[in-house]
Amino acid sequence: NAGVTQTPKFRILKIGQSMTLQCTQDMNHNYMYWYRQDPGMGLKLIYYSVGAGITDKGEVPNGYNVSRSTTEDFPLRLELAAPSQTSVYFCASSYSGDPSVGYTGELFFGEGSRLTVL
Amino acid sequence: LAKTTQPISMDSYEGQEVNITCSHNNIATNDYITWYQQFPSQGPRFIIQGYKTKVTNEVASLFIPADRKSSTLSLPRVSLSDTAVYYCLVGFRILTGGGNKLTFGTGTQLKVEL
């Protein structure tokens, strides 16, 4: 299994440009997430989705948009890129099941996408 | 969401046991406690999860006192490869509907030396 796959791994954008970070998972997970991680900091939740067609904002959604048309894909759109969006972006997925039978809601992360806005 | 507090950094030597404590004073009744490990340039990786008392797996133990206001991740006999950032997360898991806004703090940077 590939798990969670993110593309591209690296990208340099100019201020004002737009782009989409792609994320796909092959584990049939219902939940998917986008986090960003600035140098030396923890991860901050941008958006998440509990299933196809359902998305919701996390801690830092401004400047980003998401969609979830399929279970597998959860792209993150950056509109009008700004230097403050320079960061490493991680996509993750999880399966939400009954904890009494052992489901932990474990997050599976992709390898990250390093974005620089100049 | 319950806020967590962890030490910013810890140092240890190979072969020692390392205990990292996380404070979560406002943990809710249906919150689980989960620990993740992150190496540089990689996404976090699940280590262990618990609700109360003690949980042990092949890599770590998690101790949770009766009041659940703190938890301790115990790594037995650490090696150089355990040098990483360790995150404590507190959050419930929604079984149907709702969301799962698991948030990461700044974590604890563990450095293991020879």
Coordinates of all heavy atoms in Angstrom, one line a residue, chain B residues 50-88:
Chain B
G50 N -4.0 5.9 25.0 CA -4.6 5.3 26.2 C -5.7 6.2 26.7 O -5.9 7.4 26.3
Y51 N -6.5 5.6 27.6 CA -7.6 6.3 28.2 C -7.4 6.5 29.7 O -7.6 7.5 30.3 CB -9.0 5.7 28.0 CG -10.1 6.4 28.5 CD1 -10.7 7.5 27.8 CD2 -10.7 6.0 29.7 CE1 -11.7 8.2 28.3 CE2 -11.8 6.7 30.2 CZ -12.3 7.8 29.5 OH -13.3 8.5 30.0
K52 N -7.0 5.4 30.4 CA -6.7 5.4 31.8 C -5.7 4.3 32.1 O -5.5 3.4 31.3 CB -8.0 5.3 32.6 CG -8.7 4.0 32.4 CD -10.0 3.9 33.2 CE -10.8 2.7 33.0 NZ -12.0 2.6 33.8
T53 N -5.2 4.4 33.3 CA -4.2 3.4 33.9 C -3.0 3.3 33.0 O -2.4 4.3 32.7 CB -4.8 2.0 34.2 OG1 -5.3 1.4 32.9 CG2 -6.0 2.2 35.1
K54 N -2.6 2.1 32.6 CA -1.4 1.9 31.9 C -1.6 1.1 30.6 O -2.4 0.2 30.6 CB -0.4 1.1 32.8 CG 0.9 0.7 32.1 CD 1.8 -0.1 33.0 CE 3.1 -0.6 32.3 NZ 3.9 -1.4 33.2
V55 N -0.9 1.6 29.6 CA -1.0 0.9 28.3 C 0.5 0.6 27.9 O 1.3 1.5 28.0 CB -1.7 1.8 27.2 CG1 -1.7 1.0 25.9 CG2 -3.1 2.1 27.7
T56 N 0.7 -0.5 27.3 CA 2.1 -0.9 26.9 C 2.0 -1.5 25.5 O 1.1 -2.3 25.3 CB 2.8 -1.8 27.9 OG1 2.9 -1.2 29.2 CG2 4.2 -2.2 27.4
N57 N 2.9 -1.1 24.7 CA 3.1 -1.8 23.4 C 4.6 -2.1 23.2 O 5.4 -2.0 24.1 CB 2.5 -1.0 22.2 CG 3.1 0.3 22.0 OD1 4.3 0.6 22.4 ND2 2.4 1.2 21.4
E58 N 5.0 -2.5 22.0 CA 6.3 -2.9 21.8 C 7.4 -1.8 21.8 O 8.5 -2.1 21.9 CB 6.4 -3.7 20.4 CG 6.1 -2.8 19.2 CD 4.6 -2.7 18.9 OE1 3.8 -3.1 19.7 OE2 4.3 -2.1 17.9
V59 N 6.9 -0.6 21.8 CA 7.9 0.5 21.8 C 7.8 1.4 23.0 O 8.8 2.1 23.3 CB 7.8 1.4 20.5 CG1 8.1 0.5 19.3 CG2 6.5 2.0 20.4
A60 N 6.7 1.5 23.7 CA 6.6 2.4 24.8 C 5.5 2.0 25.8 O 4.7 1.1 25.5 CB 6.2 3.8 24.2
S61 N 5.5 2.7 26.9 CA 4.4 2.6 27.9 C 3.8 3.9 28.1 O 4.5 5.0 28.0 CB 4.9 2.0 29.2 OG 5.3 0.6 29.0
L62 N 2.5 3.9 28.4 CA 1.8 5.2 28.7 C 1.1 5.0 30.1 O 0.3 4.1 30.3 CB 0.8 5.5 27.6 CG -0.1 6.7 27.8 CD1 0.8 8.0 27.9 CD2 -1.1 6.8 26.7
F63 N 1.5 5.9 31.0 CA 0.9 5.9 32.3 C 0.0 7.1 32.5 O 0.3 8.2 32.3 CB 2.0 6.0 33.4 CG 3.0 4.8 33.3 CD1 4.2 4.9 32.5 CD2 2.8 3.7 34.0 CE1 5.1 3.9 32.5 CE2 3.7 2.6 34.0 CZ 4.8 2.7 33.2
I64 N -1.2 6.7 32.9 CA -2.3 7.8 33.1 C -2.8 7.6 34.5 O -3.4 6.6 34.9 CB -3.4 7.6 32.1 CG1 -2.8 7.6 30.7 CG2 -4.4 8.7 32.2 CD1 -3.8 7.2 29.6
P65 N -2.7 8.6 35.4 CA -3.2 8.5 36.8 C -4.7 8.6 36.8 O -5.3 8.9 35.8 CB -2.6 9.8 37.4 CG -2.3 10.7 36.3 CD -2.0 9.9 35.1
A66 N -5.3 8.3 37.9 CA -6.7 8.2 38.0 C -7.4 9.5 37.6 O -8.5 9.5 37.0 CB -7.1 7.8 39.4
D67 N -6.8 10.7 38.0 CA -7.5 11.9 37.6 C -7.4 12.3 36.2 O -8.0 13.3 35.7 CB -7.1 13.1 38.5 CG -5.6 13.4 38.4 OD1 -5.0 12.9 37.4 OD2 -5.1 14.2 39.1
R68 N -6.5 11.6 35.4 CA -6.3 11.8 34.0 C -5.8 13.2 33.6 O -5.9 13.6 32.5 CB -7.5 11.5 33.2 CG -8.0 10.1 33.5 CD -8.9 9.5 32.4 NE -9.8 10.4 31.7 CZ -9.7 10.5 30.4 NH1 -8.9 9.9 29.7 NH2 -10.6 11.4 29.9
K69 N -5.3 14.0 34.6 CA -4.9 15.4 34.3 C -3.5 15.4 33.8 O -3.0 16.5 33.4 CB -5.1 16.3 35.5 CG -6.5 16.5 35.9 CD -6.7 17.4 37.1 CE -8.1 17.6 37.5 NZ -9.0 18.1 36.4
S70 N -2.8 14.3 33.7 CA -1.5 14.2 33.1 C -1.3 12.8 32.6 O -2.1 11.9 32.9 CB -0.4 14.6 34.2 OG -0.4 13.6 35.2
S71 N -0.2 12.7 31.8 CA 0.1 11.4 31.3 C 1.6 11.3 31.2 O 2.3 12.4 31.0 CB -0.6 11.0 30.0 OG -0.3 12.0 29.0
T72 N 2.2 10.2 31.2 CA 3.7 10.0 31.1 C 4.0 9.0 30.0 O 3.5 7.8 30.2 CB 4.3 9.6 32.4 OG1 4.1 10.7 33.4 CG2 5.8 9.5 32.2
L73 N 4.7 9.4 29.0 CA 5.2 8.4 28.0 C 6.5 7.9 28.5 O 7.4 8.7 28.8 CB 5.4 9.2 26.7 CG 6.0 8.3 25.6 CD1 5.1 7.3 25.0 CD2 6.5 9.2 24.4
S74 N 6.7 6.6 28.5 CA 7.9 6.0 29.0 C 8.6 5.2 27.8 O 7.9 4.4 27.3 CB 7.7 5.1 30.2 OG 8.9 4.5 30.6
L75 N 9.8 5.6 27.5 CA 10.6 4.9 26.5 C 11.7 4.1 27.2 O 12.6 4.7 27.7 CB 11.2 5.9 25.5 CG 10.2 6.9 24.9 CD1 10.9 8.0 24.1 CD2 9.2 6.1 23.9
P76 N 11.6 2.8 27.1 CA 12.7 2.0 27.8 C 14.0 1.9 27.0 O 13.9 1.8 25.8 CB 12.0 0.7 27.9 CG 11.1 0.6 26.8 CD 10.6 2.0 26.5
R77 N 15.1 2.1 27.6 CA 16.4 1.9 27.0 C 16.5 2.6 25.6 O 16.5 1.9 24.6 CB 16.6 0.4 26.8 CG 16.7 -0.4 28.2 CD 16.9 -1.9 27.9 NE 15.8 -2.5 27.2 CZ 14.7 -2.8 27.8 NH1 14.4 -2.6 29.1 NH2 13.7 -3.4 27.0
V78 N 16.5 3.9 25.7 CA 16.5 4.6 24.4 C 17.8 4.4 23.7 O 18.9 4.1 24.3 CB 16.3 6.1 24.7 CG1 14.8 6.3 25.2 CG2 17.3 6.7 25.6
S79 N 17.8 4.7 22.4 CA 18.9 4.6 21.5 C 19.0 5.9 20.8 O 18.1 6.8 20.8 CB 18.9 3.5 20.6 OG 17.8 3.6 19.7
L80 N 20.1 6.1 20.0 CA 20.3 7.3 19.3 C 19.1 7.6 18.3 O 18.7 8.7 18.1 CB 21.6 7.3 18.5 CG 22.9 7.3 19.3 CD1 24.1 7.1 18.3 CD2 23.0 8.6 20.1
S81 N 18.6 6.5 17.8 CA 17.5 6.6 16.8 C 16.2 7.1 17.5 O 15.2 7.4 16.7 CB 17.2 5.3 16.2 OG 16.9 4.3 17.1
D82 N 16.1 7.2 18.8 CA 14.9 7.7 19.4 C 15.0 9.3 19.5 O 14.0 9.9 20.0 CB 14.8 7.2 20.8 CG 14.5 5.7 20.8 OD1 13.6 5.3 20.0 OD2 15.1 4.9 21.6
T83 N 16.0 9.9 19.1 CA 16.1 11.3 19.0 C 15.1 11.8 18.1 O 15.1 11.5 16.9 CB 17.5 11.8 18.6 OG1 18.5 11.4 19.5 CG2 17.6 13.3 18.3
A84 N 14.1 12.6 18.6 CA 13.0 13.0 17.8 C 12.2 14.0 18.6 O 12.5 14.3 19.8 CB 12.1 11.8 17.4
V85 N 11.1 14.5 18.1 CA 10.1 15.4 18.8 C 8.9 14.5 19.1 O 8.5 13.7 18.3 CB 9.7 16.6 18.0 CG1 8.6 17.4 18.8 CG2 10.9 17.5 17.6
Y86 N 8.5 14.6 20.4 CA 7.4 13.8 20.9 C 6.2 14.7 21.2 O 6.4 15.6 22.0 CB 7.8 12.9 22.1 CG 8.8 11.9 21.7 CD1 10.2 12.2 21.6 CD2 8.4 10.6 21.4 CE1 11.1 11.2 21.2 CE2 9.3 9.6 21.0 CZ 10.7 10.0 20.9 OH 11.6 9.0 20.5
Y87 N 5.0 14.4 20.6 CA 3.9 15.2 20.8 C 2.8 14.4 21.7 O 2.5 13.2 21.4 CB 3.2 15.5 19.5 CG 4.1 16.4 18.6 CD1 4.8 15.8 17.6 CD2 4.1 17.8 18.8 CE1 5.6 16.6 16.7 CE2 4.8 18.6 17.9 CZ 5.6 18.0 16.9 OH 6.3 18.8 16.1
C88 N 2.2 15.1 22.6 CA 1.1 14.6 23.4 C -0.2 15.3 22.8 O -0.2 16.5 22.7 CB 1.3 14.9 24.8 SG -0.1 14.8 25.9

